[in-house]
């Protein structure tokens, strides 16, 4: 019994000693973690000055030549070799032959018809001299000036009904218009450049058999282009013909000035947009080049333009009042990629001009510098 009591007392003594020892160790531990200092963030502010903000609607598209011609064959034949090869990128002057199709066989039939007309007119000359001497001289001049190697001249003007019946009865009118029809078709064997430009597409080569209705290529005038852009119908009323538009390439290394040349009168039902065409000129521009445009839609009065990051999800912005942040409700009227146009901002209010991480209403801050000049974009 004595052994049990001694064991119990020994156990209690060990437990008490352990508790006392642990307490001594805990009390002797020094807390080396420093008390964090309260950090006051620095903010940048601007003084609000409401004014007229020009709303620019961004748009983009690819350039298309303002003057372009799709070349189609209206006759059949073998494509002949010209002074210049019919190749993509080849430049031509206005009036220069783009396409020459072999017309030797057809040319012979035209010459045959012209010869028949000449023989008909020649055969009536004796009768004209006897029956219509007053009209003989003009027909004599017509025969004299008739040249088979040149375009058939216009028939002399008919001055009397008798002369008209006489000429018609000899089949001269029908023969003349038959020749003119053949000559008109003969002219289609040569396609000339309507303006100075460059060949952007060539679908045939010299020696190719060209068939009627076959597409031969495309020819454009360089230097003047149109940019087709789609604008929301809500801004359609503010677009005006002749209005200047600022354009830039993707790299923002070159800028151009264009003008609104045409505005479509129909709204696209799928996208609810209106197509506008901007004319732009530049020797370094190319068809198919991608450009970005900024169209002046309208001016929003009594408004400011700030960074989009300053606007909260609740349509509020931070303001400064006695070194403490506060929020006010604003009315956003237009969003761009980087900025937002706001209304209902009190005049002279000090607003935070750069985003502050972790900002909240009631946060104590210090001002880097108060700028009372108008840094707010208008």
């Amino acid at each position: 019994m004595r052994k049990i009591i001694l064991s119990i007392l020994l156990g209690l003594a060990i437990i008490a000693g352990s508790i006392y020892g642990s307490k001594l160790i805990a009390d002797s531990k020094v807390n080396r973690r420093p008390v964090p200092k309260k950090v006051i963030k620095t903010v940048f502010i601007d003084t609000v000055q409401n004014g007229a903000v020009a709303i620019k609607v961004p748009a983009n598209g690819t350039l298309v030549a303002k003057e372009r011609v799709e070349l189609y064959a209206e006759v059949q034949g073998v494509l002949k070799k010209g002074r210049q090869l019919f190749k993509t990128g080849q430049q031509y002057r206005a009036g220069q032959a783009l396409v020459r199709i072999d017309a030797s066989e057809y040319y012979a039939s035209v010459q045959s018809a012209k010869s028949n007309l000449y023989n008909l007119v020649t055969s009536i000359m004796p009768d004209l001299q006897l029956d219509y001497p007053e009209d003989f001289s003009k027909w004599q001049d017509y025969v004299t000036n008739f040249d088979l190697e040149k375009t058939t001249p216009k028939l002399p003007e008919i001055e009397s009904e008798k002369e008209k019946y006489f000429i018609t009865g000899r089949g001269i009118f029908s023969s003349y218009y038959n020749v003119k029809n053949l000559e008109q078709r003969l002219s289609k064997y040569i396609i000339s450049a309507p303006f100075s430009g460059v060949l952007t597409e060539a679908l045939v080569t010299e020696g190719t058999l060209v068939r009627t209705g076959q597409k031969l290529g495309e020819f454009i005038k360089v230097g003047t282009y149109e940019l087709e852009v789609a604008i929301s119908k809500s801004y359609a009323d503010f677009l005006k013909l002749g209005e200047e538009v600022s354009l830039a390439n993707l790299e923002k290394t070159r800028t151009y000035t264009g003008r609104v040349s045409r505005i479509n009168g129909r709204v696209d039902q799928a996208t609810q947009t209106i197509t506008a065409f901007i004319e732009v000129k530049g020797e370094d521009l190319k068809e198919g080049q991608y450009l970005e445009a900024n169209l002046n839609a309208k001016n929003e009065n009594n408004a400011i333009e700030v960074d989009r990051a300053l606007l909260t999800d609740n349509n509020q912005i931070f303001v400064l009042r006695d070194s403490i942040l506060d929020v006010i409700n604003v009315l956003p009227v237009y969003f761009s990629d980087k900025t937002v146009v706001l209304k209902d901002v009190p005049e002279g209010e000090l607003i935070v001009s750069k985003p502050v991480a972790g900002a909240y209403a009631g946060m104590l801050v210090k001002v880097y510098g108060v700028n009372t000049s108008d840094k707010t974009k208008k």
Side-chain angles (χ1 to χ4, degrees):
M1 187 67 179
R2 179 181 291 179
K3 291 181 178 181
I4 295 175
I5 294 173
L6 289 175
S7 299
I8 292 174
L9 292 175
L10 182 60
L12 292 173
I14 293 173
I15 293 173
S18 299
I19 294 174
Y20 179 75
S22 62
K23 185 177 180 182
L24 290 176
I25 294 174
D27 292 340
S28 64
K29 184 178 181 181
V30 179
N31 188 5
R32 297 181 179 179
R33 178 178 297 177
V35 178
K37 296 180 180 181
K38 189 173 183 179
V39 178
I40 300 178
K41 293 187 177 182
T42 302
V43 297
F44 295 83
I45 63 171
D46 276 342
T47 303
V48 173
Q49 292 185 4
N50 289 294
V53 178
I55 294 181
K56 295 183 179 291
V57 180
N60 51 67
T62 55
L63 290 178
V64 177
K66 186 176 181 179
E67 295 186 57
R68 65 184 305 110
V69 176
E70 291 188 347
L71 306 176
Y72 284 89
E74 298 184 64
V75 293
Q76 180 173 313
V78 176
L79 186 66
K80 295 175 62 178
K81 183 177 181 180
R83 293 182 178 179
Q84 295 177 321
L85 294 177
F86 191 75
K87 299 291 185 182
T88 301
Q90 186 65 57
Q91 295 184 351
Y92 294 87
R93 300 186 305 274
Q96 188 175 358
L98 293 171
V99 176
R100 291 179 180 271
I101 300 176
D102 185 16
S104 54
E105 182 178 350
Y106 193 81
Y107 176 78
S109 62
V110 173
Q111 292 300 97
S112 175
K114 290 171 68 175
S115 178
N116 290 335
L117 173 63
Y118 181 78
N119 293 336
L120 278 176
V121 176
T122 304
S123 65
I124 67 170
M125 297 304 294
D127 294 335
L128 276 174
Q129 189 174 16
L130 292 175
D131 300 333
Y132 306 97
E134 65 279 5
D135 299 321
F136 176 78
S137 59
K138 62 183 181 182
W139 285 97
Q140 181 65 40
D141 293 339
Y142 183 80
V143 172
T144 303
N145 296 325
F146 197 100
D147 189 347
L148 291 176
E149 300 301 325
K150 298 180 180 180
T151 303
T152 303
K154 185 179 179 181
L155 291 175
E157 185 176 352
I158 305 300
E159 298 178 355
S160 65
E161 290 294 325
K162 292 182 179 180
E163 181 186 7
K164 179 180 179 181
Y165 295 148
F166 178 78
I167 298 300
T168 303
R170 298 299 180 93
I172 293 178
F173 280 124
S174 59
S175 179
Y176 169 78
Y177 286 112
N178 178 56
V179 171
K180 298 303 290 185
N181 180 56
L182 294 176
E183 287 181 338
Q184 183 66 27
R185 188 165 182 81
L186 180 63
S187 65
K188 299 181 184 299
Y189 281 83
I190 298 177
I191 301 178
S192 300
F195 43 76
S196 297
V198 63
L199 194 66
T200 58
E201 184 180 22
L203 302 178
V204 293
T205 57
E206 289 78 0
T208 303
L209 176 61
V210 176
R211 302 186 182 277
T212 304
Q214 180 179 348
K215 185 177 181 179
L216 307 178
E218 288 188 3
F219 183 72
I220 67 169
K221 183 178 181 179
V222 296
T224 304
Y225 302 89
E226 281 189 333
L227 182 70
E228 180 180 347
V229 295
I231 306 299
S232 173
K233 66 179 182 63
S234 58
Y235 296 105
D237 296 336
F238 303 103
L239 290 178
K240 297 180 181 179
L241 291 175
E243 183 177 359
E244 287 192 356
V245 180
S246 176
L247 304 170
N249 58 2
L250 282 178
E251 297 79 14
K252 301 295 189 297
T253 57
R254 291 183 178 272
T255 58
Y256 308 91
T257 300
R259 292 185 180 274
V260 178
S261 59
R262 292 180 288 130
I263 300 175
N264 197 345
R266 182 175 64 88
V267 177
D268 190 297
Q269 295 182 356
T271 61
Q272 289 298 294
T273 58
I274 291 179
T275 303
F277 297 87
I278 303 170
E279 182 177 334
V280 58
K281 296 181 180 180
E283 295 299 328
D284 59 332
L285 294 173
K286 303 293 182 183
E287 186 177 59
Q289 184 176 347
Y290 189 90
L291 290 183
E292 295 179 346
N294 288 313
L295 290 88
N296 296 321
K298 64 175 180 177
N299 289 333
E300 194 69 54
N301 296 321
N302 297 322
I304 62 172
E305 187 175 10
V306 298
D307 194 322
R308 287 188 63 168
L310 299 178
L311 184 66
T312 66
D313 295 337
N314 298 324
N315 290 338
Q316 295 176 328
I317 60 173
F318 285 99
V319 297
L320 183 68
R321 289 181 180 147
D322 298 330
S323 299
I324 296 176
L325 292 184
D326 196 4
V327 291
I328 59 173
N329 294 320
V330 293
L331 176 63
V333 294
Y334 177 74
F335 290 89
S336 67
D337 293 339
K338 298 180 180 180
T339 63
V340 57
V341 178
L342 303 177
K343 299 193 71 172
D344 296 345
V345 184
E347 184 75 14
E349 187 76 71
L350 297 178
I351 65 172
V352 177
S353 60
K354 292 185 179 181
V356 179
Y360 58 88
M363 180 179 182
L364 181 64
V365 296
K366 61 179 179 179
V367 179
Y368 177 78
V370 178
N371 187 4
T372 56
S373 63
D374 185 13
K375 289 184 179 179
T376 305
K377 295 181 181 179
K378 296 182 180 180

